[in-house]
Amino acid sequence: MAKRQPEGGQDPVVQRIRLRYSKRGPMRFTSHRDFARAFERALLRANVPIAYSQGFTPHPKVSYASAAPTGVASEAEYLEIGLRAVVDPDDLRVALDAALSPGLDVIEAVQSPLNGGGSLADRIDASAWHLELPGVTPAEAEAAVRAFLDATEVLVERLTKQGKRVFDTRAAVVRLAVLSVPSTPGDVPSEVTEAPCAILDLVVRQGTPTVRPDDVLSGLRVVADLEPPVPPRATRLAQGVLTAQEELVDPLAADRPAVVVGASSLE
């Protein structure tokens, strides 16, 4: 088998590719560390010419942007890889998607500039979510949402690596509303089987500390004593820069289109 890295030092990065991927179904319980290990194995199985860092313990050139918490589904996770050979982005997407487990799906791959253009993190300051609340009626959810939005601040407590922290969830919430959904059990979204099931549409700014969906749910419990009888389910739908019209600009938008003429194949 050919060596993945050169013996006399690491080859330089000649191409950068940004990927959008999803975590679906049971794979939402994959931790960020577990995903990183799975992704590095997928790079090897797909024969991706990944570049490596310098030093005694070279690491693949992979950088992640704002990974979703463990247990949360997502349609909008992002990472960037540096390559030591030029490939076609769509061939790369297909190869990596096949090498990952079902539920970890590579949705898009675009080429980004080698220099300049900013990092992926520079293009993300907010995220959009759907929060499913099995066993909660839309009317109950509406009342809780009104109480949350009418409050000047909603303080919650969370255990962090630095210990317990109290912070305001209200200031981070840009939009919080109850979606209209069918009431028949067969039409309840995702894997939820209980009806009724209220669904919240949430847009939240990503600051320090980051306000997560479970923090907003804690805030609803604080202001309205809303406690779903079944564990809620959160799905991240989008990330990006928030405009004045409260729309999210896709982090990959500035990099499209990404066509590499004469690129080598991953076959």
Side-chain angles (χ1 to χ4, degrees):
M1 179 182 291
K3 290 179 182 279
R4 305 280 182 181
Q5 311 170 46
E7 293 182 359
Q10 309 306 334
D11 285 342
V13 172
V14 299
Q15 185 183 33
R16 295 189 187 278
I17 300 289
R18 288 171 174 170
L19 304 174
R20 177 187 175 193
Y21 65 96
S22 65
K23 292 171 59 180
R24 298 165 174 160
M27 286 300 171
R28 69 184 184 274
F29 296 107
T30 304
S31 69
H32 175 61
R33 181 174 295 180
D34 287 340
F35 173 80
R37 285 196 289 261
F39 184 72
E40 290 187 14
R41 290 194 297 267
L43 289 170
L44 295 176
R45 285 196 294 269
N47 200 30
V48 175
I50 190 73
Y52 287 81
S53 63
Q54 302 288 336
F56 292 104
T57 56
H59 297 288
K61 290 274 191 177
V62 182
S63 59
Y64 300 89
S66 188
T70 304
V72 169
S74 178
E75 294 296 317
E77 300 298 288
Y78 296 92
L79 61 82
E80 180 179 279
I81 58 177
L83 303 179
R84 51 188 169 84
V86 175
V87 303
D88 180 86
D90 198 54
D91 287 348
L92 175 72
R93 181 197 64 79
V94 171
L96 282 174
D97 188 55
L100 286 166
S101 300
L104 298 176
D105 303 311
V106 183
I107 300 170
E108 186 177 9
V110 299
Q111 180 174 288
S112 63
L114 278 177
N115 299 300
S119 67
L120 272 176
D122 294 335
R123 300 183 184 183
I124 297 175
D125 63 14
S127 55
W129 303 80
H130 276 179
L131 309 182
E132 299 168 9
L133 311 180
V136 176
T137 67
E140 292 170 329
E142 287 276 8
V145 166
R146 283 197 300 272
F148 184 96
L149 295 177
D150 288 344
T152 56
E153 67 175 11
V154 180
L155 300 179
V156 301
E157 183 179 79
R158 190 211 302 162
L159 183 62
T160 68
K161 293 179 180 179
Q162 292 73 37
K164 288 185 178 180
R165 293 193 63 178
V166 176
F167 52 94
D168 179 23
T169 57
R170 178 63 187 90
V173 172
V174 177
R175 183 171 73 237
L176 182 61
V178 180
L179 295 178
S180 298
V181 295
S183 58
T184 57
D187 292 328
V188 174
S190 299
E191 299 168 3
V192 176
T193 57
E194 293 79 7
C197 176
I199 300 181
L200 304 184
D201 175 32
L202 170 68
V203 175
V204 61
R205 292 187 183 89
Q206 297 180 190
T208 303
T210 299
V211 173
R212 308 181 312 201
D214 57 316
D215 298 322
V216 175
L217 293 173
S218 296
L220 293 173
R221 184 168 58 249
V222 168
V223 298
D225 199 28
L226 184 69
E227 188 75 55
V230 177
R233 178 179 171 128
T235 301
R236 176 148 63 188
L237 302 179
Q239 297 191 73
V241 173
L242 191 68
T243 68
Q245 293 74 37
E246 297 186 1
E247 297 177 347
L248 289 174
V249 178
D250 185 343
L252 303 185
D255 298 320
R256 301 187 188 102
V259 177
V260 181
V261 178
S264 62
S265 172
L266 290 173
E267 297 178 352

